[in-house]
Amino acid sequence: MSCEDEHHNHGSGSGHGHLHIAPIPTNESQSLLSKIDIPHVTALNLANPPEDLQKIFRSKEDKYKLKPIIKTDCDPQIIINIPFLNGSVKLFSLILRTNGDKFCPKTIKLWKNDKTIDFDNVQSKKPTYTITHPQVGVMLNDDEDVPDVLEDDGDFVEHYLPRHIFTGVQQLTLFIDDIYDDDEDESHLHYLELRGEFTELTKDPVITLYELAANPTDHKNLTATEATNYSLGN
């Protein structure tokens, strides 16, 4: 399932209303799994052991695995910080597999390149982008036996992101604000995938700038040479 841009609200919107532009399709080759700094992904209000969080970024072979289920701790909200390796990303889309019943996330806010997001400021900081996740996903209650694998492509929702906004991304912060069932105090995630383009950062621009910078010593030598030539010419 895909969710198009016109169904979303820009956190940094210009107030001109929704643009009815069909999203550009993505494909599996655009997965950024190998470009995420997996060991340094962190979360606030996580009920699981920290190492479980890394497993939500599943490979193509493990796409349909349901465990571990990422669950929130004392309420449905969770902040997930996703840093990328030494590079810059243009994000195309966010793909989620969530609970599709009472633990299903609803409002999800995204920030790019802000390492300061926590529960003290998350409600006051304007998000880069806000999406509404549909009540679609794995239909499981918490007291059911969860199978290890469930092959159902209909459980996955792809949220297309505005590419002109999500450029130069070195860290993405994801915040689940609420869920569909107000009586529950957990949200559940099974899968998270990011798609886009990755550009490795290099030091070439710094070297180029250094080489282009004027060298004061060269300037002095040139001035002295010009003065000598002028004297000889006269």
Side-chain angles (χ1 to χ4, degrees), residues 54-223:
Q54 302 176 10
K55 299 172 185 175
I56 197 174
F57 301 94
R58 305 187 193 279
S59 65
K60 179 180 177 181
E61 293 73 24
D62 294 335
K63 176 180 178 179
Y64 297 107
K65 285 187 177 181
L66 293 181
K67 299 177 182 177
I69 304 172
I70 299 303
K71 301 180 181 181
T72 57
D73 191 6
C74 58
D75 61 39
Q77 296 184 331
I78 187 170
I79 297 173
I80 303 176
N81 295 301
I82 307 169
F84 294 98
L85 296 172
N86 185 37
S88 177
V89 168
K90 176 188 283 189
L91 282 178
F92 295 166
S93 68
L94 166 70
I95 301 176
L96 294 172
R97 192 187 203 188
T98 69
N99 179 270
D101 192 15
K102 58 185 180 180
F103 305 118
C104 183
K106 183 179 181 181
T107 306
I108 301 175
K109 299 177 180 180
L110 304 174
W111 287 263
K112 78 170 188 179
N113 301 339
D114 191 336
K115 298 181 180 180
T116 67
I117 302 293
D118 57 28
F119 283 109
D120 291 332
N121 59 27
V122 72
Q123 296 292 0
S124 60
K125 282 206 169 190
K126 190 174 184 179
T128 306
Y129 199 65
T130 299
I131 61 179
T132 300
H133 185 72
Q135 197 169 7
V136 173
V138 182
M139 300 299 292
L140 292 172
N141 291 316
D142 203 30
D143 55 355
E144 291 185 29
D145 290 332
V146 180
D148 291 332
V149 176
L150 180 62
E151 295 191 19
D152 188 347
D153 288 322
D155 293 341
F156 296 82
V157 178
E158 182 168 18
H159 296 281
Y160 293 96
L161 303 176
R163 302 184 181 191
H164 66 287
I165 293 177
F166 284 95
T167 59
V169 182
Q170 293 177 282
Q171 171 167 316
L172 181 71
T173 300
L174 182 153
F175 170 53
I176 294 177
D177 195 359
D178 54 20
I179 60 175
Y180 279 91
D181 192 332
D182 294 333
D183 295 328
E184 296 297 334
D185 58 2
E186 292 181 12
S187 57
H188 292 185
L189 297 173
H190 296 277
Y191 178 93
L192 195 162
E193 180 186 348
L194 297 171
R195 291 183 178 180
E197 289 179 351
F198 178 85
T199 303
E200 187 172 359
L201 294 181
T202 67
K203 295 183 179 180
D204 290 345
V206 177
I207 295 173
T208 302
L209 289 173
Y210 175 78
E211 290 174 347
L212 289 176
N215 188 321
T217 304
D218 292 342
H219 179 70
K220 289 179 182 177
N221 291 339
L222 180 61
T223 303

